[in-house]
């Protein structure tokens, strides 16, 4: 039946934006806006939790012809959130190892600490530099004391929707 079950309608949000409202059993009511001059669709609401991460901004940045594929990719993330979050956590742990980050006792950061102290703030579906679509998970990690780790950089895990290949980067 497809990712979105019910179509609510189309409206003009502004002279430069077209808005579509859709509903899905996992995400609820969703609003997509199209930047007319760029031909790019963005999911502007809702902010939905993913795993234990609350209020995650969902951003869909694709050309018109890739919109349906992008929505299927987003559905895949919400059908198996643990698999995507695990890749996100693995990237954070790898950077913590590389940066020689430690906890308050001077011990190396563990996967348990990563899962406990990381925060995911954005989930983005976009066209990958390697072709096709990718899911990017953006977030941060702090120590048990609340201090930001990794020099206050955010971690990006970019996962290819077709192959599952994952690239990691730091931002900020």
């Amino acid at each position: 039946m497809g990712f979105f079950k019910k179509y609510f309608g189309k409206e003009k949000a502004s002279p430069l934006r077209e808005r579509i409202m859709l509903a899905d059993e996992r995400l609820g009511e969703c609003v997509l806006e199209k930047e007319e001059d760029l031909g790019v669709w963005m999911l502007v609401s809702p902010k939905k939790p993913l795993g234990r991460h609350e209020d995650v901004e969902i951003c869909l940045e694709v050309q018109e012809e890739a919109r349906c594929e992008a929505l299927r990719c987003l559905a895949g993330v919400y059908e198996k959130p643990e698999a995507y979050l695990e890749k996100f956590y693995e990237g954070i742990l790898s950077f913590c190892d590389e940066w020689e980050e430690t906890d308050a006792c001077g011990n190396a950061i563990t996967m348990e600490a990563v899962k406990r102290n990381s925060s995911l703030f954005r989930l983005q579906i976009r066209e990958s530099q390697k072709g096709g679509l990718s899911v990017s998970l953006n977030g941060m990690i702090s120590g048990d004391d609340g201090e930001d780790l990794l020099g206050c950089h955010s971690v990006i895990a970019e996962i290819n929707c077709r192959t599952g290949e994952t690239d990691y980067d730091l931002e900020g």
Side-chain angles (χ1 to χ4, degrees):
M1 220 155 129
F3 178 66
F4 287 98
K5 304 292 183 200
K6 183 176 177 187
Y7 174 76
F8 282 104
K10 242 179 176 178
E11 62 182 61
K12 285 291 186 184
S14 74
L16 297 177
R17 295 181 189 262
E18 183 178 331
R19 179 175 283 176
I20 297 175
M21 297 171 67
L22 304 162
D24 176 71
E25 58 198 31
R26 290 168 297 261
L27 297 175
E29 260 186 52
C30 299
V31 177
L32 289 137
E33 284 189 353
K34 181 180 180 184
E35 292 279 350
E36 291 294 333
D37 54 339
L38 300 176
V40 172
W41 285 93
M42 296 185 70
L43 186 64
V44 294
S45 68
K47 288 186 175 183
K48 295 299 270 183
L50 186 66
R52 68 166 189 79
H53 302 280
E54 298 291 326
D55 205 30
V56 176
E57 175 187 13
I58 302 170
C59 187
L60 185 75
E61 289 188 39
V62 296
Q63 298 298 317
E64 178 78 30
E65 56 274 5
R67 188 178 70 193
C68 289
E69 183 183 355
L71 292 172
R72 282 191 299 274
C73 192
L74 179 62
V77 173
Y78 276 90
E79 287 169 3
K80 298 178 184 173
E82 307 81 24
Y84 288 87
L85 288 171
E86 196 63 34
K87 289 183 178 193
F88 175 63
Y89 297 144
E90 288 169 4
I92 292 173
L93 183 60
S94 175
F95 282 121
C96 285
D97 289 345
E98 182 181 326
W99 283 52
E100 299 178 355
E101 294 285 7
T102 59
D103 64 16
C105 298
N107 299 315
I109 299 295
T110 64
M111 182 59 83
E112 293 75 28
V114 167
K115 289 179 180 181
R116 183 176 60 246
N117 296 323
S118 64
S119 61
L120 177 68
F121 57 81
R122 183 179 309 120
L123 186 160
Q124 185 174 26
I125 309 289
R126 61 183 176 185
E127 295 177 38
S128 172
Q129 295 174 348
K130 295 181 178 184
L133 295 179
S134 67
V135 175
S136 291
L137 302 173
N138 300 46
M140 307 275 293
I141 183 167
S142 61
D144 286 328
D145 58 3
E147 290 291 317
D148 286 331
L149 300 179
L150 301 175
C152 298
H153 290 82
S154 62
V155 175
I156 302 169
E158 185 172 337
I159 305 161
N160 184 293
C161 291
R162 287 193 192 121
T163 66
E165 180 183 334
T166 306
D167 293 317
Y168 299 101
D169 202 0
L170 294 176
E171 182 176 78

